Amino acid sequence: MRKSTLEEVAAAAGVSKMTASRALRGAADVSKETRAKVLQQAERLSYVGNRLALSLSSQRTNLVAVVVPSMSNIVFPEMLAGISAGLRGSGMQAVFGISDYDMAKEREIIRDMLSWRPAAIIVTGLDQPAETVRMLQSAEIPVVQLMDLDGTPIDFNVGLSHGKAGEEMARALLAAGRRRFGYIGSAIDRDLRAGKRKAGFEKALRESGLSFVAERFNAAYSSVAHGKRLTMSMLAATRDLDCIYYSNDDMATGGAFACLELGVSSPADILIAGFNGLDVARALPVRIATSISPRRQMGEAAAALLLAASRSDGNPPSEKIIVFDPEITGVD
């Protein structure tokens, strides 16, 4: 079966070939009505454009490169869903790479993605090493750093302060009367945002003359199983805790299962506290305190920023930093 051509799409839509091409690329100077007509005819004719040819002529593809540290935690798929929703109808397409919390791997993924001449790039966090920062700065495309505000952004920044989130959780728990805290974390040396939350939590404890009574760490990525195992270990050695703060809700969920298995009343004896506000944590038979991170909304906001930047004709949006504040639940 013969492939449809751009000329046929343009003729069916009643526009020039150039206008049809620009409409299919999502160009800002094409009206919504014209673009809708072109897309309708392209779909009717099963037209598939040549993105490689477009990139050679414009020096840019319609791709938005997205780099995330993991897909094993639901947080990042939900963030990607927000980005995809935000890009819908724009003519841009998100493609992603996974760094496994490895800065060197992240740098190589970014280098490879930039070689495809994306229209913009979204990276997770603000802690890239100097070589990666220089590479992003020289790309001459919108760069959105997502999910963290604790640092100096390269260009656009969407997220929350993890240090502040840790501080505010500690203060809420202290106000609720908790005094003997344990900490359980996973891959803290690589999950830098979890490390910032821990540092913020410790800062608030120091201001009250307190510190963590016990700590347990796991080198692997966070999981319910690791959270349960480390909690069992901690409670076998230290039973006079009244609160355990975890690096995230995955680990905290494991802690809740450990308390159930050991017959430890939660939250009456030990309050379990995490971060992210995952549905699984809210569905447990015991209450977990958590900070709800609006990851889908952050993804949507990042997409909106880069779309505005890519269509600004040299005048970038005045709003370059979008701040989210997580809601704390389950403390009282």
Side-chain angles (χ1 to χ4, degrees):
M1 183 177 178
R2 186 180 66 85
K3 292 193 297 184
S4 299
T5 65
L6 180 60
E7 289 84 352
E8 290 170 333
V9 172
V15 299
S16 68
K17 179 181 175 181
M18 180 177 294
T19 297
S21 175
R22 294 182 63 77
L24 291 170
R25 294 204 308 271
D29 59 352
V30 177
S31 70
K32 291 182 179 178
E33 294 77 10
T34 298
R35 184 166 187 271
K37 285 195 301 182
V38 172
L39 290 175
Q40 181 182 25
Q41 294 305 321
E43 183 174 354
R44 184 180 69 82
L45 295 169
S46 300
Y47 173 73
V48 178
N50 186 339
R51 294 293 184 187
L52 179 60
L54 287 174
S55 68
L56 290 174
S57 62
S58 67
Q59 299 300 306
R60 291 281 173 239
T61 65
N62 71 325
L63 302 178
V64 174
V66 184
V67 185
V68 296
S70 169
M71 289 294 281
S72 62
N73 189 319
I74 190 63
V75 167
F76 298 108
E78 288 184 1
M79 183 189 79
L80 291 172
I83 293 170
S84 295
L87 293 177
R88 190 173 297 130
S90 69
M92 291 189 180
Q93 176 64 51
V95 294
F96 66 90
I98 303 170
S99 69
D100 294 321
Y101 291 99
D102 184 322
M103 291 292 188
K105 184 175 181 181
E106 179 187 62
R107 183 168 61 252
E108 291 311 307
I109 291 171
I110 290 172
R111 189 190 310 279
D112 188 50
M113 285 183 156
L114 290 178
S115 73
W116 287 91
R117 299 295 186 266
I121 186 166
I122 298 173
V123 295
T124 308
L126 289 162
D127 298 291
Q128 290 77 21
E131 181 183 344
T132 304
V133 170
R134 287 194 297 270
M135 184 164 50
L136 289 167
Q137 288 172 330
S138 63
E140 298 183 336
I141 57 174
V143 176
V144 181
Q145 287 165 289
L146 188 56
M147 299 192 81
D148 192 5
L149 297 175
D150 299 324
T152 303
I154 295 168
D155 192 2
F156 299 98
N157 190 195
V158 177
L160 58 92
S161 168
H162 289 266
K164 180 183 175 184
E167 282 189 57
E168 291 184 344
M169 175 57 83
R171 293 194 180 107
L173 293 168
L174 289 165
R178 305 291 168 166
R179 288 296 180 272
R180 291 186 61 78
F181 295 89
Y183 180 81
I184 292 178
S186 188
I188 289 294
D189 59 329
R190 287 165 288 156
D191 187 351
L192 301 180
R193 287 168 294 284
K196 291 174 182 179
R197 293 193 296 274
K198 179 176 184 287
F201 197 101
E202 288 177 305
K203 178 176 180 290
L205 291 186
R206 285 196 303 273
E207 291 171 354
S208 295
L210 300 173
S211 61
F212 286 120
V213 175
E215 298 183 4
R216 293 288 188 280
F217 299 95
N218 188 78
Y221 302 134
S222 65
S223 73
V224 173
H226 292 320
K228 179 181 178 182
R229 178 179 60 79
L230 292 174
T231 304
M232 299 284 278
S233 169
M234 178 176 284
L235 294 182
T238 311
R239 292 300 293 265
D240 61 342
L241 300 170
D242 60 19
C243 183
I244 304 176
Y245 185 50
Y246 294 78
S247 54
N248 60 34
D249 279 0
D250 283 350
M251 301 289 282
T253 298
F257 283 124
C259 287
L260 287 169
E261 186 170 318
L262 293 170
V264 175
S265 178
S266 178
D269 294 332
I270 297 179
L271 178 60
I272 303 297
F275 178 84
N276 274 323
L278 301 185
D279 287 342
V280 64
R282 292 199 292 269
L284 290 169
V286 299
R287 188 178 80 219
I288 288 181
T290 190
S291 304
I292 302 174
S293 63
R295 49 262 179 201
R296 183 182 175 95
Q297 294 93 319
M298 286 192 283
E300 291 173 347
L305 263 184
L306 68 86
L307 286 176
S310 66
R311 295 169 176 171
S312 64
D313 296 325
N315 298 306
S318 57
E319 184 178 34
K320 303 196 75 170
I321 298 176
I322 299 178
V323 178
F324 287 86
D325 291 310
E327 176 189 358
I328 294 176
T329 64
V331 172
D332 298 327

